[in-house]
Amino acid sequence: PVAYSYHLLPVPPVDMKSAIAFLFFVNAAVAFFSPSPQLPTNIHNIRRTSNAVFSVPGQPHLVGSACLRSSSNPDSESDSAQDTSPEETLLRMNLSINAAADPDAAIEAVRAYVRSFPFAAILPVQPLQYVPSDDGLGVKVTFLRKKTKEKGSQDGGIDFSIEFTSPEDEEEGGVGMGPLGRRIRVVATRISEGQTVSKMFSEKLIVTEFVKGISGSEPERSSEMLSKLVSVDSVFHKWMS
């Protein structure tokens, strides 16, 4: 057998200050000689997308949902722009003014009827409030819910507007603007503000019961005085069979 012997060479003492200085020198040299990635020069023209991909030469693709929009581009749309599409019409009703009835008295009687209509009795479980509209010419019915940090107290609603038909409307309908031709229009539109869940069932009950009451087919909610001033000429609503 061959015998081997090992001898450890003496290790000179290490100067810590010199070692740290050497490491700093190496890092600085690597950073100086390594090519830096170039960012896109047209970064301000990148529009906001739901899943934008940014490519940097020599680097992997960067994917993210929070992207950039140029504030100097006049064609770019504002992030805070709201949907301006019109609300859906739930009810459109034309009332003809009876002979010898004063038109102004007739329209005020219709507005008084709408203001006094028992919306809360139609929906005893749904919290709501109804007040005159901002212009005082109609009624705004607001569905309510418990207010939280994430959601407000408004949960949609219905806006009733009552006004005379315009001459253009009457011409399109083939009716003159004489004493018997001037009509009153009742329009109910959906208020989608604050609505997170569809209120189709509540809207249907309110609209259908309102039509029964103002037309006189529901005696409990009809008005004898109103029937002397106006008569239902035409009715269209979302749930007509």
Side-chain angles (χ1 to χ4, degrees), residues 46-47 49-56 59-68:
I46 300 174
R47 286 182 172 271
T49 59
S50 59
N51 196 21
V53 179
F54 299 98
S55 177
V56 179
Q59 297 293 331
H61 291 312
L62 304 178
V63 182
S65 59
C67 309
L68 301 177

Side-chain angles (χ1 to χ4, degrees), residues 56-172:
V56 179
Q59 297 293 331
H61 291 312
L62 304 178
V63 182
S65 59
C67 309
L68 301 177
R69 179 190 296 274
S70 172
S71 59
S72 59
N73 188 353
D75 298 330
S76 63
E77 298 177 355
S78 174
D79 293 339
S80 59
Q82 299 179 353
D83 186 11
T84 57
S85 58
E87 299 283 10
E88 182 177 2
T89 299
L90 306 177
L91 168 67
R92 184 183 294 271
M93 173 183 290
N94 288 328
L95 306 174
S96 60
I97 301 174
N98 296 339
D102 179 64
D104 294 332
I107 195 170
E108 285 303 321
V110 174
R111 288 171 179 159
Y113 176 83
V114 178
R115 295 190 192 107
S116 62
F117 190 79
F119 296 103
I122 302 299
L123 298 173
V125 180
Q126 169 67 57
L128 57 83
Q129 68 177 10
Y130 46 103
V131 296
S133 55
D134 295 338
D135 56 9
L137 304 180
V139 174
K140 181 179 179 182
V141 181
T142 305
F143 300 138
L144 303 176
R145 64 170 170 239
K146 185 178 180 180
K147 186 176 181 180
T148 63
K149 293 181 179 179
E150 295 79 15
K151 301 177 182 179
S153 59
Q154 181 172 344
D155 194 13
I158 303 176
D159 186 21
F160 286 85
S161 64
I162 304 99
E163 56 188 358
F164 288 115
T165 55
S166 64
E168 292 78 9
D169 294 334
E170 298 296 348
E171 289 177 1
E172 291 177 2

Side-chain angles (χ1 to χ4, degrees), residues 93-98 183-184 214-215 226-234:
M93 173 183 290
N94 288 328
L95 306 174
S96 60
I97 301 174
N98 296 339
R183 296 184 293 179
I184 299 171
I214 198 171
S215 63
L226 183 63
S227 63
K228 295 178 180 179
L229 298 174
V230 297
S231 300
V232 176
D233 192 20
S234 62

